[in-house]
Amino acid sequence: MKFLSWNVNGLRAVVKKGFEEQFATFDADFVCLQETKLQEGQIDLAFPGYQSYWNYAERKGYSGTVIFTKHDPLNVHYGLPDVSADNEGRVITLEYPDYYLVTCYTPNAQAKLKRLAYRMEWEEAMRHYLIALDREKPVIYCGDLNVAHKEIDLKNDQSNHGNPGFSDEEREKMTTLLDSGFTDTFRYFYPDLEGAYSWWSYRFNARKNNAGWRIDYFIVSDRLTSRTTDAAILSDVMGSDHCPVTLTLSD
């Protein structure tokens, strides 16, 4: 079973760049997208054999998530419990008989960390939510989590230390989550691989020079690692400042 996650940085924009043709090449059971940047009715996008579940932000042209899936869920939940102002369309949870799939577009701490307090509230709420789900059945958690966990996860770690996405506080929250019974699947397979990034600034030829950050993840309950057969970063897929990441599980 194949899962794909991608921050498209505007779904209407990537559709104009050939997303529909690209979608077929993914050959995934689940395609989770973040930062769709649209409201209900602003796009007519469907794929044969897939159903879709959308979460829109109240603010126009901002945030938003969607999951395309070949598999009928038992239940669908939108949003994150216990977070103030959870109106940004950031989380979708699909329940299946033997796991939960959660896709997320984590809030950015923003310049000078001005939204860090909200980010910390979000991280705590998300961790408690995932732990609660994990008590019932294993969890597959994916999306743009807006943090490079370790120095290996970005090109210029020293100059970016303390910046949004690489602050000590955000990194510690990721460590705490993983210590709560979850595994970063890419590092499970490639613990020492350098130069593996999923986001590049549009400035300074960052993508051409591979001056990037790994901030897009598939994280699973520890007890799912035995079923994890592959995790990949599709850095050759263009159309956004992010590229897709994938997870493959055995049945």
Side-chain angles (χ1 to χ4, degrees):
M1 192 152 30
K2 183 177 178 181
F3 301 78
L4 181 141
S5 176
W6 190 13
N7 179 324
V8 292
N9 193 11
L11 185 53
R12 287 171 291 179
V14 296
V15 165
K16 293 177 182 177
K17 300 174 184 177
F19 175 75
E20 291 172 272
E21 293 77 15
Q22 223 166 31
F23 188 97
T25 70
F26 294 151
D27 190 27
D29 293 87
F30 300 88
V31 175
C32 305
L33 306 180
Q34 302 88 41
E35 207 170 0
T36 53
K37 292 184 175 180
L38 49 79
Q39 309 301 121
E40 186 172 7
Q42 288 188 311
I43 197 169
D44 183 14
L45 186 64
F47 299 98
Y50 290 83
Q51 51 193 308
S52 58
Y53 299 91
W54 301 76
N55 196 1
Y56 306 99
E58 289 183 8
R59 177 178 163 189
K60 292 182 178 179
Y62 180 74
S63 191
T65 48
V66 60
I67 300 178
F68 295 92
T69 174
K70 292 180 178 180
H71 306 279
D72 294 337
L74 300 176
N75 291 293
V76 182
H77 178 77
Y78 300 97
L80 182 60
D82 303 321
V83 172
S84 60
D86 180 21
N87 56 6
E88 298 180 350
R90 293 183 178 274
V91 181
I92 304 171
T93 303
L94 303 186
E95 180 183 1
Y96 289 93
D98 58 347
Y99 60 88
Y100 288 99
L101 172 63
V102 181
T103 197
C104 177
Y105 176 38
T106 300
N108 192 298
Q110 298 185 354
K112 298 182 180 179
L113 303 179
K114 66 180 182 180
R115 210 183 189 197
L116 184 63
Y118 180 75
R119 172 66 180 265
M120 294 296 97
E121 176 191 356
W122 175 278
E123 293 286 359
E124 274 300 292
M126 176 59 77
R127 187 173 68 89
H128 288 298
Y129 178 58
L130 295 174
I131 290 171
L133 294 180
D134 186 54
R135 291 193 189 106
E136 299 181 19
K137 59 186 79 172
V139 175
I140 301 163
Y141 174 46
C142 71
D144 174 3
L145 305 188
N146 258 318
V147 61
H149 185 210
K150 301 287 189 179
E151 287 82 359
I152 195 175
D153 293 315
L154 73 168
K155 177 70 172 181
N156 299 308
D157 59 283
Q158 292 186 356
S159 61
N160 280 296
H161 182 251
N163 286 341
F166 200 60
S167 67
D168 292 340
E169 294 89 344
E170 292 165 294
R171 296 169 63 199
E172 286 168 5
K173 289 295 186 185
M174 174 61 83
T175 297
T176 301
L177 172 63
L178 296 177
D179 288 346
S180 299
F182 298 94
T183 297
D184 173 354
T185 58
F186 186 79
R187 287 298 172 211
Y188 176 76
F189 285 102
Y190 308 104
D192 302 313
L193 181 62
E194 299 180 359
Y197 309 126
S198 64
W199 174 79
W200 303 263
S201 170
Y202 280 131
R203 299 181 296 169
F204 311 123
N205 291 315
R207 191 157 189 173
K208 180 180 178 181
N209 297 322
N210 198 30
W213 299 47
R214 188 178 73 93
I215 60 175
D216 300 87
Y217 295 79
F218 270 96
I219 291 172
V220 301
S221 299
D222 285 348
R223 62 191 186 280
L224 269 185
T225 55
S226 61
R227 291 180 54 191
T228 304
T229 60
D230 185 45
I233 299 175
L234 307 184
S235 56
D236 58 337
V237 175
M238 309 300 286
S240 169
D241 52 349
H242 295 249
C243 72
V245 296
T246 64
L247 171 70
T248 307
L249 294 183
S250 61
D251 294 334

